[in-house]
Amino acid sequence: MPNHAYIALIPLLPLAAFVVLGLFGRKYLRGLSGGIGTFAVLVSTGLSLWVAYRYFFVEGAVTGAYNPVIALKATWLSFSPGLSIDMSIILDPISVMMIVVVSFVSLMVHIFSLGYMKGEARYGTYYAFLGLFTFSMLGLVLSGNIFEIYIFWELVGCSSYLLIGYYFDRPSAVAAAKKAFIVTRLADLGFLVGILILSFHAETLDFGTLIQRLSGPTPQMVGITTASFLGISALSWGLFLVFVGGAGKSALFPLHIWLPDAMEGPTPVSALIHAATMVVAGVYLVARLYPVYMFPGGAVLHVVLYAGALSALLAAIIACTQTDIKRVLAYSTMSQIGYMMLALGTLHYKGEATTLGFTASMFHLFTHAFFKALLFLCAGVIIHRVHSNEMRDVGGLRKLLPLTHICFLIACLAIAGIPPFSGFFSKEDILLSAWHADKLVYGVALFTSGLTAFYMFRLYFSIFWRKPMLVGGGVHSGDAGAGPLRDAGDAHGEAPFTMKLPLVILALGALLAGFVPFSRLVTYDGTPQPDHSIGFFAVAPVALALIGIFIARYLYFKESDRPGRVAAGLGDLYKTAYHKFYIDEVYLFVTKKIIFNLIGRPAAWIDRNIVDGLMNLLATVTARISAAIKGLQSGRVQDYALYFFAGIAGLTVLFIYLYT
Amino acid sequence: MSQVPLSHILVVSTALFFIGMYGLFTRRNMITMLMSVELILNSVNINFVAFNKYLYPDKLEGVFFTLFIIAIAAAEAAVAIAIIINLYRNFHSIDVEDAGKMKF
Amino acid sequence: MSASAVIFYILSFFILATGLLAVTSRKIFRSAIWLLFSLTGIAGLYFWLQMEFIAAVQVVVYVGGIVVLIIFSIFLTQQSGRDLPAPVRSRAIFSVLAVCTGFVLTCVLLRGYAFGRTGRTDGGQTFAGPVASGVPAVDASVGTIGAQMLSTSEHGYVLPFEVISILLLAAMIGCIVIAMKIKPDEK
């Protein structure tokens, strides 16, 4: 591609939309904001697809391998000739894939929001924030410099905060936004320290150079592995801390507490940020630095593996007990991200040149974006119609929302891993690489995939089947528990066209994305790998998934007390899972009792009394001195006479005794 | 007269001068301030007379100075009293701190 | 210690004591009377210095004129009944301090200055007699004073005399104008 300047437009167009809508969207462009934002992202998507086409099929076909291409580079801060912060755009298989995913999903969300957020008071602001987020995410995936990615990382966190707290008059939304920001910020501290360690030893901030220096026997590698702290080499510390930063953003255990609460934001925001794009930033980061993680002797991939597996299992267990639709989907996201991390961590034991785990992880990221966004948008339609998030309030929506029903079913089948939907292919790859890596992890992943099928279909049956059918505007007689739908007028049908179109497109994606020959396009070093067949290996996971689906149908197809009996039977285990394993309570205890009381209050006291007190003291002293000096000009003639006389006496003494 | 050195007389007049100054600084009543001023003027008179007597006994300059000072002091006291009476009419007080406002 | 010295010391003590009382007394009328005594003491001092004319003028003008004027003004401003307020503590202290400093300074200067002493090598305080230049002392009688005051020769004082009379005239007119009460017409 001779002229790469147009690639910079991909993130900059949404930024321009943000600036325009941020400045003028509130007062002048209210109605047009949606159109402006959507148009900007539409052009970005077109450009991303064009770049992908050219990268994978035009250029790649020439050289036979997909090499990283530095598209643009601008030196920003130069500390020394070798060390500088550049703003550069890097194109390699994962970044091209990511810009396609991000811009496409963002476009779908923009279109969906045209219908969903219609009539909102702060419509323009919403689209401005969406534009900011899209810009930040696109910038993140295109970053070629580790500091640049940090900058965009923080911007993404900021956009997430703004969007979660969009309904700022709700205290729960404000608290959720703060929680998300603080937890991810804390993790970013680790990220920053990791950046500093790695770049200090590698003496560079540029990704390409860093990877090259730290993934082979180079002098920098020797330096970083000999330097050690508490017995662990600096390389492991750096990689581990970078992983911590990624874990915060990707909601891995134990930094996952913000993700369920982040569902306070509008549903399209959840679809975009907390399902398809921002939460995979951590996975992307580890993938970006994968050659460094891979280097033999790096034990950090152990941590990645187990953290991913634990998160996947934990989230799946909790999701089985939750009753809020969006929270179930949030935990499902956490579980799927656990799968992605798990796949990245499966290198260590395999030790072969073909790193299946990397490809599997990226493939799952790709397909997950489609079906998870689809799930959230369907949930958005349902919530828009029913005006409630709780599973208790819905039921029997099959005929009322037919298109949503079909799309939701497709997405559930995809996430459960039923062939030929897309999730089947990506999940099989993950399980295959886990099988070769660690049998225990394979077992956990297998069990979790069964649980995934169970809780997703629990959700599906509860929403669309459990209660007698509702047909537009009324309920059949004999059913008293229709809840809020009784009054939902049917004047506008299921949903406006702008809300139905993305559902259809994403459903097509969820169906077809599995057939993309991923291993030929995206691998850790760019060389295409041959397709592999899965064959009989797939029997066990699919069987487990079908068992999960049937259990869900047994329990939830009709309203009954069977779920209640099962829950009672499980007793305390159920209660612990329902309360999300009390992790939130632990965090609250630490922050409220320990940090606030032992650190916060004394700090506030010092600030008020000592720091402020010092300033007040200065002011008071000045005021008193000035009042005293003011008294010299009293206006009383006798005081002045006294001053005269004192002056004369003084001058007399001076002239007589000191000048002779 | 010849046994008392000049400096003794000068000390007496200096003491009287500073007593008058103390009265000027301390007294708030305008009439008492005027009295202190009279004391000061008198101390100066003593000085002139003593110098005339002790240092220049053949001349009369000191005497004339003293006479003129007495005359002028009388005129000044009269004018001062007139002013005090006028101030009293306006402020109904002869406290020097009460005469705070000036008419323009 | 001859009798005249004793008289001098008694007189000076009297002057200073009544002067002090004049400036510190709380009742204004008594303050005026102490002033009267002080001025009379000064007249006595003039008598002791053998300047009778000055002494007479002092008594006539100061004691008989100015003090009476002051007493009249005390009556006119209806001040004689009340006590005078005590001075502010800080101001009194600073005034005493300033005044004592001034006094000590002046005395130190006095001690070091040789007032016209010639040829005396003892440098002591005692001063014996008028300047030993052989000039006879002039007789300070009324006639001599009057003749010199109105003479136009080199040591004559007729010009200041005339100026003083103009000054007195101006002062008189000024007093009348300042103290005049302008009555509004009632007809």
Side-chain angles (χ1 to χ4, degrees), chain A residues 506-537:
Chain A
L506 284 171
L508 280 173
L511 271 171
L512 302 173
F515 297 110
V516 173
F518 229 71
S519 58
R520 268 196 263 145
L521 297 171
V522 177
T523 53
Y524 87 99
D525 60 358
T527 50
Q529 287 159 21
D531 297 334
H532 55 275
S533 69
I534 300 177
F536 286 110
F537 187 75

Side-chain angles (χ1 to χ4, degrees), chain A residues 599-630:
Chain A
I599 301 176
R601 264 182 242 286
W605 185 89
I606 291 178
D607 185 50
R608 258 197 305 276
N609 293 63
I610 296 185
V611 177
D612 272 357
L614 198 61
M615 287 299 119
N616 288 346
L617 184 70
L618 278 177
T620 317
V621 164
T622 311
R624 294 240 180 93
I625 290 179
S626 82
I629 295 178
K630 189 175 68 163

Side-chain angles (χ1 to χ4, degrees), chain A residues 266-279:
Chain A
T267 310
V269 165
S270 305
L272 178 62
I273 298 185
H274 306 124
T277 43
M278 186 179 99
V279 289

Side-chain angles (χ1 to χ4, degrees), chain A residues 15-77:
Chain A
L15 177 68
F18 163 66
V19 171
V20 166
L21 293 174
L23 289 174
F24 306 113
R26 207 148 188 219
K27 276 213 302 201
Y28 304 113
L29 294 170
R30 277 277 306 275
L32 290 176
S33 316
I36 293 175
T38 311
F39 179 70
V41 177
L42 182 65
V43 178
S44 273
T45 311
L47 285 174
S48 310
L49 288 169
W50 176 250
V51 168
Y53 166 69
R54 297 226 29 157
Y55 182 78
F56 281 122
F57 299 111
V58 175
E59 288 228 331
V62 171
T63 57
Y66 299 109
N67 296 318
V69 172
I70 305 287
L72 288 171
K73 191 167 174 143
T75 309
W76 180 42
L77 280 180

Side-chain angles (χ1 to χ4, degrees), chain A residues 636-639 641-643 645-646, chain B residues 18 21 24-27 33 96-97:
Chain A
R636 290 194 286 261
V637 78
Q638 283 162 317
D639 287 345
L642 200 54
Y643 301 149
F645 179 72
Chain B
F18 281 110
M21 290 225 84
L24 199 58
F25 292 151
T26 321
R27 297 289 237 177
M33 281 169 81
V96 76
E97 299 202 357

Side-chain angles (χ1 to χ4, degrees), chain A residues 439-463:
Chain A
K439 302 290 188 287
L440 172 66
V441 172
Y442 171 74
V444 167
L446 191 63
F447 179 61
T448 310
S449 72
L451 278 181
T452 307
F454 168 69
Y455 68 70
M456 284 313 299
F457 273 89
R458 166 178 176 256
L459 192 61
Y460 167 74
F461 283 121
S462 302
I463 295 177

Side-chain angles (χ1 to χ4, degrees), chain A residues 69-419:
Chain A
V69 172
I70 305 287
L72 288 171
K73 191 167 174 143
T75 309
W76 180 42
L77 280 180
S78 181
F79 301 116
S80 69
L83 189 69
S84 65
I85 301 182
D86 303 327
M87 292 288 145
S88 60
I89 291 183
I90 192 172
L91 293 177
D92 73 0
I94 46 173
S95 78
V96 173
M97 175 200 82
M98 282 300 289
I99 54 172
V100 170
V101 167
V102 171
S103 56
F104 186 74
V105 174
S106 181
L107 180 65
M108 293 298 115
V109 167
H110 274 82
I111 297 176
F112 187 83
S113 305
L114 286 173
Y116 189 83
M117 298 296 277
K118 196 173 184 157
E120 259 312 301
R122 291 160 55 224
Y123 189 63
T125 320
Y126 174 79
Y127 271 96
F129 289 159
L130 275 187
L132 178 68
F133 173 78
T134 313
F135 157 68
S136 319
M137 195 67 204
L138 287 169
L140 196 155
V141 300
L142 286 173
S143 297
N145 183 303
I146 203 170
F147 222 87
E148 187 187 352
I149 207 177
Y150 185 70
I151 294 173
F152 281 111
W153 193 270
E154 294 303 323
L155 267 175
V156 166
C158 173
S159 322
S160 164
Y161 168 80
L162 289 170
L163 282 164
I164 296 175
Y166 180 70
Y167 297 119
F168 57 75
D169 44 356
R170 271 195 285 173
S172 55
V174 170
K178 274 196 289 188
K179 190 173 183 179
F181 193 72
I182 292 177
V183 173
T184 49
R185 199 73 186 82
L186 210 59
D188 294 345
L189 181 65
F191 187 20
L192 185 62
V193 178
I195 290 178
L196 293 173
I197 294 177
L198 288 175
S199 57
F200 174 73
H201 284 283
E203 290 152 15
T204 177
L205 286 168
D206 178 61
F207 267 127
T209 329
L210 189 102
I211 291 174
Q212 180 212 350
R213 282 192 190 158
L214 290 182
S215 59
T218 57
Q220 289 87 8
M221 193 64 183
V222 173
I224 201 173
T225 42
T226 46
S228 78
F229 177 68
L230 294 180
I232 303 176
S233 79
L235 177 67
S236 302
W237 274 112
L239 291 174
F240 173 68
L241 286 169
V242 168
F243 171 65
V244 165
K249 207 53 124 214
S250 293
L252 288 181
F253 177 84
L255 295 166
H256 65 279
I257 48 170
W258 64 274
L259 188 58
D261 288 12
M263 297 296 122
E264 295 283 338
T267 310
V269 165
S270 305
L272 178 62
I273 298 185
H274 306 124
T277 43
M278 186 179 99
V279 289
V280 300
V283 180
Y284 178 76
L285 182 66
V286 175
R288 167 67 66 213
L289 284 171
Y290 204 60
V292 188
Y293 275 97
M294 262 171 52
F295 193 76
V300 187
L301 282 182
H302 270 129
V303 180
V304 174
L305 181 68
Y306 290 124
L310 185 59
S311 296
L313 182 65
L314 206 72
I317 295 177
I318 297 178
C320 294
T321 62
Q322 297 298 306
T323 55
D324 183 325
I325 299 177
K326 284 177 74 173
R327 278 191 169 58
V328 173
L329 293 176
Y331 281 109
S332 156
T333 306
M334 186 181 155
S335 179
Q336 300 304 308
I337 294 171
Y339 268 112
M340 294 178 216
M341 278 295 190
L342 190 158
L344 279 178
T346 54
L347 161 76
H348 188 86
Y349 297 84
K350 195 162 163 81
E352 292 177 17
T354 55
T355 50
L356 183 59
F358 182 89
T359 311
S361 171
M362 291 295 111
F363 195 20
H364 197 63
L365 200 158
F366 183 70
T367 57
H368 173 261
F370 285 107
F371 56 67
K372 195 41 73 66
L374 179 60
L375 279 170
F376 267 104
L377 292 186
C378 292
V381 173
I382 295 166
I383 292 170
H384 191 68
R385 199 73 173 76
V386 179
H387 301 296
S388 158
N389 279 11
E390 289 289 324
M391 277 191 347
R392 280 185 279 276
D393 297 333
V394 303
L397 293 180
R398 284 192 321 284
K399 280 285 160 60
L400 194 65
L401 308 170
L403 179 67
T404 315
H405 175 219
I406 304 288
C407 295
F408 201 89
L409 185 58
I410 293 175
C412 282
L413 288 170
I415 199 175
I418 309 291

